[in-house]
Amino acid sequence: MHDIAQGLARFRREVFPAKAELFAGLAAAHRPATAFIGCSDARVVPELITQSEPGDLFVIRTAGNLVPAHAPGSDAVAAAVEYAVAVLGVSDLVVCGHSDCGAMTALAEQRDLSGAPLVADWLRHADASRARTAAAGAPAGSVDALVRQNVPAQLTNLTTHPSVARALAAGSLTLHGWVFDIASGTVEALDAAGRPTAFAARAA
Ligand SMILES: [Zn+2]
């Protein structure tokens, strides 16, 4: 915590004054254009890799960047998705996987999770990702293949959320699948099959 306390002091002293005008404008206006669903992994920092300013990204982070498919009753992830899409009206929604993901490694390598039963239960939301990986003919135990198949699988889960389905039908929301490589700092866009694709051109 020592480093964090120093960081807070440095933010107040050096960083905030340079952005005081930005924060003044944001003080009563929350209008992010993009929702970013990433892994809780400490090495994947959405604002850093997209070079976004405060106010730009609505961030949801979960273990393995998993988004449970819609189900009756509320949960934190579903509520955050609904708020971003239905209330804030984001125009873009990104699911970003990453290299060396602990969640995907545990699944791909069938690690013993008996000491972390809640994690094991949560990772069931990647069952379809595993099925897609096997169907794609990836070698057993391939973490990279699972990371890539998990992104479109979670995008598919997102489409089951009523707010997302509504916005997609209205043409007001675009879904994106990305993978961030920690070692090289590169971000790849993926198509619906989990293959690399060109970043979609943005309409002016
Ligand atoms: Zn991860």
Side-chain angles (χ1 to χ4, degrees):
M1 280 300 283
H2 183 63
D3 287 350
I4 288 180
Q6 283 186 338
L8 287 171
R10 193 163 75 85
F11 173 74
R12 283 288 302 142
R13 193 176 61 241
E14 298 171 21
V15 180
F16 184 82
K19 294 185 185 291
E21 205 173 321
L22 172 64
F23 278 104
L26 291 173
H30 184 209
R31 284 192 286 271
T34 301
F36 185 106
I37 300 177
C39 185
S40 301
D41 191 294
R43 302 164 294 177
V44 183
V45 183
E47 292 83 355
L48 185 68
I49 66 177
T50 61
Q51 287 295 285
S52 297
E53 291 287 357
D56 289 346
L57 287 186
F58 186 88
V59 176
I60 303 168
R61 293 176 74 169
T62 68
N65 43 274
L66 302 182
V67 183
H70 175 69
S74 71
D75 64 68
V77 180
V81 167
E82 184 180 75
Y83 187 72
V85 175
V87 180
L88 297 176
V90 298
S91 59
D92 295 89
L93 206 164
V94 176
V95 170
C96 185
H98 69 99
S99 62
D100 197 44
C101 182
M104 295 300 108
T105 302
L107 288 174
E109 299 183 353
Q110 300 185 315
R111 300 267 176 92
D112 176 17
L113 290 173
S114 54
L118 298 179
V119 173
D121 193 38
W122 171 251
L123 294 182
R124 294 295 308 274
H125 295 297
D127 281 355
S129 316
R130 299 172 72 187
R132 291 174 61 113
T133 307
S142 170
V143 178
D144 283 349
L146 184 57
V147 164
R148 284 165 186 281
Q149 290 298 331
N150 182 50
V151 169
Q154 301 309 316
L155 287 169
T156 301
N157 282 354
L158 270 169
T159 64
T160 66
H161 290 249
S163 59
V164 173
R166 248 189 327 268
L168 288 173
S172 59
L173 179 69
T174 306
L175 301 182
H176 308 267
W178 295 357
V179 171
F180 172 63
D181 182 66
I182 295 170
S184 67
T186 53
V187 173
E188 242 176 16
L190 301 179
D191 66 12
R195 292 180 300 244
T197 185
F199 275 91
R202 181 169 296 274

